Amino acid sequence: MAKVTIRDVADRAGVSTATVSRALSGAKRVSAAVEDQVRRAVQELGYSGNGIASALRRSRTDTVGMIVPSIVNPFFTSLVESVEHALQDEGRQLFLCSSRSDPQLEEQRLRSLVARQVDGIVISPVHGTGSTAAISWAAGELPLVQVDRYVTGVDSDWVGVDDDEALRLVVGHLSGRGVRTAAFISSRLTSSSTELRVAGFQSHTARLGIAVAPGALLLGEYSIDWGRTAMQRLLAAGPLPDAVVCADDLIALGVLQACSTAGVAVPEDVLVTGFDDIPFAALSDPPLTTVRQPQAAIATEAVRLLSQAFREPPHEPARLALAPSLVVRASTGG
Amino acid sequence: MAKVTIRDVADRAGVSTATVSRALSGAKRVSAAVEDQVRRAVQELGYSGNGIASALRRSRTDTVGMIVPSIVNPFFTSLVESVEHALQDEGRQLFLCSSRSDPQLEEQRLRSLVARQVDGIVISPVHGTGSTAAISWAAGELPLVQVDRYVTGVDSDWVGVDDDEALRLVVGHLSGRGVRTAAFISSRLTSSSTELRVAGFQSHTARLGIAVAPGALLLGEYSIDWGRTAMQRLLAAGPLPDAVVCADDLIALGVLQACSTAGVAVPEDVLVTGFDDIPFAALSDPPLTTVRQPQAAIATEAVRLLSQAFREPPHEPARLALAPSLVVRASTGG
DNA sequence: AGGTTCTGGGTAATCGATTACCCGCCGATG
DNA sequence: CATCGGCGGGTAATCGATTACCCAGAACCT
């Protein structure tokens, strides 16, 4: 329990702290005999080092921070897992925080990460404009890459999915199924991807002559609950559209549940699509047609951009919109 | 970008670093005039402090680390979210790591957290015995509480669910539905809860005269995939049992999927139960009967025990097995 | 043999904030 | 009027590891 420091190890091994540090980090050659002494002393004392002190001196922590809007959304947890994997290969650790879709909490997390001197940050911003100030500031302090969503006017890398292409795929598919009217359920939060998905929905439905009734654009949040209530509203409002397009899978799952309890058959009475392809999208009743995000690729690219920023600070911000793919399941007719 | 330190602030405000520190932390009274000077200087320079240096000196970080076996398992993410909430109220932050069900990675995470001087650790151990050494060591270094699962022989608090009671509920319910034969699908990893669930399954089926065929105890991992393959094996092996009891919801969802693709009707041909009550358990086809864990209470208690350990180090390890509840849905006949 | 380079290892400065200790000043008290 | 206590604020030690700089001896050249 008594803290054992490098000094204790040095004393026990009969060398200086400098030598202990060198023996352990390999920063400079050390004779085999001394190295052995040190290792023995470390063992005997149970020395484990003080990462804080080390970080202070070296001013790096070999840790990157990641901030996501929600930790219970499977899309983000998949992304987090992929990022962690990618970092692992570089010998870095991940420090994960949730902003719980709250810009204030997000700012606090950012400050905390910067204060803790993480080497870099991967963030999926909460809000398209409300997050700008904090992210701008953080991006000025250390390497930062945005994933999935981005805020405008910040000089930083971004990697995500091509939202317009995604909605082109979805709407095209629905059109091929004979859909003539559609509704869209999304989140109120004006994040970049939310906006792009709404815009994509509107432009592609217009292009293909699919009608979107006024009031058929429902904005709430990315959650099962919202999907359920939004669908209930649609059901109450009057004639159903041919298809309900959802901005993420959680919403879509809520929609399916609402349909099921209301006795509305999917896909017979209405087609439903999601977005993300979370693991549970294949298990719903009926299984969900959805857009698969290339989340592993997003994670890999994000980490690559970060490492690049570590090596060569000044560079042109990259914007990588990776291609999504459509996964057709029973909710649009199989 | 240039790092601005407390010294810069002190110079700009025309005071000493000690005064700046006091003005900002409120550790000692400072005249209003000086405080104002300091605040202004902080603003102008964009000073944000160096958490590392502060942590080194104060030897605390106001951060607790949490390690879970999987970050893509909704049960754990719910737990994490609850813990984060509870910590928030105390002004502490959460540093989340995933051990990916790998004892070696788990040990590495533990070392890293200790080296980073988190104030305490919340951990759900990977393995009943393989995790013991590392956790023992960590528990000797700082306050540590185990959640959900625990390793034996470690002098630390634990809070989780009453697994035996949970299986009493499940098996009792199935018995009431007329079940005479049952199978159990669980994880191979010998964690405490896994073992207790198997043991509970066996004792309660025996007590109620429910037959468990040899080979009807399938051990793999906590995942949808394993649930699916395990069920496929059961289907291939011969006559179906009346019920399939699963050690967690992910397994159960896999089981349902396997049944669906094999054309086996649930609950007509076989009853299926899960464990955890993750949000998706209500959305499957059919909705899943499962055991609800009191995860919010588990989180609250864990944080309470941790804070208690911060204040008064030496205390008798607590073991809190909270009561679960049964959520009956269509997968057992609704 | 004398000079040069290498090598292993020690000394002490350093990272940036906190805080123990000290000091001068002011009002209050006997 | 001398003394005391408190208060605001400064000086410098401290946290623990890393590393710039230095040195002695060995090895290596002409």
Side-chain angles (χ1 to χ4, degrees):
Chain A
M1 197 60 154
K3 290 284 157 237
V4 25
T5 74
I6 201 175
R7 159 117 281 125
D8 302 321
V9 175
D11 290 350
R12 173 74 103 121
V15 297
S16 74
T17 61
T19 302
V20 173
S21 176
R22 287 168 188 146
L24 295 179
S25 73
K28 203 174 161 185
R29 279 217 47 75
V30 159
S31 74
V34 168
E35 171 154 1
D36 221 57
Q37 294 281 319
V38 171
R39 256 176 228 307
R40 199 188 323 283
V42 166
Q43 275 299 317
E44 291 167 356
L45 298 174
Y47 173 71
S48 60
N50 183 322
I52 296 286
S54 167
L56 176 59
R57 180 61 228 250
R58 302 194 308 148
S59 65
R60 52 176 291 191
T61 50
D62 294 320
T63 298
V64 331
M66 180 162 183
I67 304 179
V68 295
S70 163
I71 204 180
V72 293
N73 184 328
F75 167 66
F76 286 118
T77 59
S78 295
L79 198 57
V80 168
E81 183 154 272
S82 298
V83 168
E84 194 179 35
H85 256 96
L87 285 172
Q88 178 98 9
D89 301 340
E90 307 193 340
R92 271 180 231 276
Q93 267 211 267
L94 188 67
F95 183 154
L96 179 65
C97 303
S98 163
S99 57
R100 272 193 248 127
S101 293
D102 174 352
Q104 284 201 288
L105 223 51
E106 180 179 59
E107 169 166 2
Q108 188 183 312
R109 301 300 192 232
L110 276 169
R111 292 204 172 281
S112 164
L113 286 176
V114 171
R116 268 193 193 59
Q117 308 258 108
V118 297
D119 298 340
I121 290 181
V122 177
I123 185 173
S124 185
V126 164
H127 195 278
T129 55
S131 299
T132 308
I135 293 183
S136 263
W137 168 78
E141 299 285 317
L142 39 64
L144 179 150
V145 26
Q146 303 182 68
V147 291
D148 185 46
R149 318 169 180 183
Y150 57 84
V151 299
T152 48
V154 169
D155 197 37
S156 97
D157 295 328
W158 168 77
V159 38
V161 76
D162 185 336
D163 285 300
D164 182 72
E165 167 67 7
L167 273 122
R168 196 183 64 75
L169 290 173
V170 168
V171 176
H173 168 69
L174 292 175
S175 173
R177 286 278 195 263
V179 165
R180 308 300 308 155
T181 60
F184 190 70
I185 306 181
S186 180
S187 162
R188 188 183 328 104
L189 284 171
T190 59
S191 71
S192 63
S193 56
T194 304
E195 283 178 8
L196 290 172
R197 288 175 199 178
V198 173
F201 174 75
Q202 293 184 310
S203 72
H204 292 297
T205 46
R207 183 171 57 80
L208 295 170
I210 294 178
V212 178
L217 214 71
L218 296 155
L219 305 182
E221 53 177 44
Y222 289 118
S223 73
I224 294 174
D225 281 350
W226 164 242
R228 192 166 34 220
T229 47
M231 190 63 208
Q232 283 162 355
R233 268 182 226 172
L234 275 183
L235 288 166
L240 272 183
D242 297 340
V244 175
V245 176
C246 304
D248 93 338
D249 284 348
L250 293 180
I251 292 175
L253 291 176
V255 166
L256 290 182
Q257 197 182 21
C259 289
S260 157
T261 60
V264 170
V266 178
E268 291 77 7
D269 300 335
V270 61
L271 306 191
V272 176
T273 66
F275 200 114
D276 286 346
D277 194 29
I278 64 176
F280 304 98
L283 306 177
S284 59
D285 175 26
L288 193 64
T289 291
T290 189
V291 173
R292 173 172 299 159
Q293 293 225 35
Q295 46 94 357
I298 293 175
T300 313
E301 280 303 307
V303 170
R304 193 184 60 72
L305 286 169
L306 217 47
S307 319
Q308 181 177 322
F310 293 150
R311 284 192 303 273
E312 21 176 298
H315 74 127
E316 198 69 3
R319 313 231 136 223
L320 301 178
L322 306 182
S325 54
L326 189 69
V327 181
V328 177
R329 299 203 183 91
S331 74
T332 55
Chain B
M1 197 56 155
K3 289 285 156 234
V4 26
T5 74
I6 200 175
R7 160 119 278 127
D8 302 322
V9 176
D11 290 350
R12 175 73 104 116
V15 297
S16 73
T17 62
T19 301
V20 174
S21 176
R22 287 169 187 143
L24 294 178
S25 73
K28 202 174 164 186
R29 280 218 47 75
V30 161
S31 76
V34 168
E35 171 152 1
D36 221 56
Q37 294 281 321
V38 171
R39 255 176 230 305
R40 198 187 324 282
V42 166
Q43 276 298 318
E44 292 167 355
L45 298 174
Y47 173 71
S48 61
N50 182 323
I52 294 287
S54 168
L56 176 59
R57 179 63 229 248
R58 302 194 309 146
S59 63
R60 52 176 292 191
T61 50
D62 294 320
T63 299
V64 330
M66 183 163 182
I67 305 179
V68 294
S70 164
I71 206 182
V72 293
N73 184 328
F75 167 66
F76 286 117
T77 59
S78 296
L79 198 57
V80 167
E81 183 153 271
S82 300
V83 168
E84 195 178 36
H85 256 96
L87 285 172
Q88 179 98 7
D89 300 339
E90 308 194 339
R92 270 179 231 278
Q93 268 212 266
L94 190 66
F95 183 154
L96 179 64
C97 304
S98 163
S99 57
R100 272 194 247 128
S101 294
D102 174 351
Q104 285 201 288
L105 223 50
E106 180 178 59
E107 168 165 3
Q108 189 184 311
R109 302 299 193 232
L110 275 169
R111 292 202 171 283
S112 164
L113 287 177
V114 170
R116 270 193 193 58
Q117 307 260 104
V118 296
D119 297 340
I121 291 180
V122 177
I123 184 172
S124 185
V126 164
H127 194 280
T129 55
S131 299
T132 309
I135 293 185
S136 263
W137 168 78
E141 300 285 318
L142 38 63
L144 179 150
V145 25
Q146 303 181 65
V147 291
D148 185 48
R149 318 170 179 181
Y150 58 85
V151 300
T152 48
V154 170
D155 198 36
S156 98
D157 294 328
W158 169 77
V159 37
V161 75
D162 185 337
D163 285 301
D164 182 71
E165 167 68 5
L167 274 122
R168 198 183 65 73
L169 290 172
V170 168
V171 176
H173 168 69
L174 292 175
S175 174
R177 286 277 195 264
V179 165
R180 308 301 307 156
T181 59
F184 190 71
I185 306 181
S186 179
S187 161
R188 190 184 326 103
L189 286 171
T190 58
S191 73
S192 63
S193 57
T194 303
E195 284 179 7
L196 290 172
R197 288 175 198 178
V198 174
F201 174 74
Q202 293 184 311
S203 71
H204 291 296
T205 47
R207 184 171 55 80
L208 295 171
I210 294 178
V212 178
L217 211 72
L218 296 157
L219 305 182
E221 53 179 43
Y222 289 118
S223 75
I224 295 175
D225 281 350
W226 165 240
R228 191 164 35 220
T229 46
M231 190 63 206
Q232 282 162 356
R233 269 183 226 171
L234 275 182
L235 288 166
L240 274 182
D242 297 340
V244 175
V245 176
C246 304
D248 93 338
D249 284 348
L250 293 180
I251 293 174
L253 291 176
V255 167
L256 290 181
Q257 196 182 22
C259 288
S260 156
T261 60
V264 172
V266 178
E268 291 76 8
D269 300 334
V270 61
L271 307 190
V272 176
T273 66
F275 199 115
D276 286 346
D277 195 28
I278 64 176
F280 305 98
L283 306 177
S284 58
D285 175 26
L288 193 64
T289 291
T290 190
V291 173
R292 174 172 298 157
Q293 292 223 36
Q295 46 93 356
I298 292 175
T300 313
E301 281 302 306
V303 170
R304 195 184 58 73
L305 286 168
L306 216 47
S307 321
Q308 182 177 320
F310 293 150
R311 287 192 301 276
E312 19 174 302
H315 75 128
E316 198 68 4
R319 314 231 136 223
L320 301 179
L322 305 182
S325 55
L326 189 69
V327 181
V328 177
R329 298 201 184 91
S331 74
T332 55

